[in-house]
Amino acid sequence: PDLEVFVRAGCPHCEAAKAFLRDLQGRRPSLRILIQDVSQDRSAMARLELLAGRQGVNPIGVPAFYLWGELIIGYQ
């Protein structure tokens, strides 16, 4: 994927981020976006923890975006 996104069910910020990503995908159909729910998929949480550990990000939060080798936590 071009963009990995980590979300959690019930998170209002995650829902807002997913709505933005749906719009972005419509405008850029070639963009490969992988959305993973860390509350439903242990491997997604492990991946997020690995990425956060590599970049010294603590605490880990969602939504989290991994793009171009950088992990970005949060969405407004």
Side-chain angles (χ1 to χ4, degrees), residues 5-58:
V5 184
F6 300 90
V7 298
R8 179 181 46 80
C11 167
H13 300 291
C14 296
E15 291 304 316
K18 288 191 290 186
F20 166 77
L21 292 169
R22 282 190 296 273
D23 180 59
L24 178 63
Q25 187 75 74
R27 290 183 282 126
R28 299 187 125 183
S30 64
L31 184 64
R32 297 171 299 153
I33 301 172
L34 175 62
I35 298 175
Q36 304 177 79
D37 188 325
V38 298
S39 65
Q40 303 292 322
D41 183 351
R42 286 187 177 145
S43 65
M45 187 62 194
R47 172 85 172 139
L48 177 56
E49 289 172 341
L50 174 72
L51 295 171
R54 285 181 182 168
Q55 296 191 14
V57 173
N58 190 19

Side-chain angles (χ1 to χ4, degrees), residues 1-4 47 51-52 54-55 57 65-72:
D2 299 310
L3 172 61
E4 286 183 76
R47 172 85 172 139
L51 295 171
R54 285 181 182 168
Q55 296 191 14
V57 173
F65 305 84
Y66 186 64
L67 176 68
W68 297 326
E70 184 175 350
L71 183 64
I72 302 165

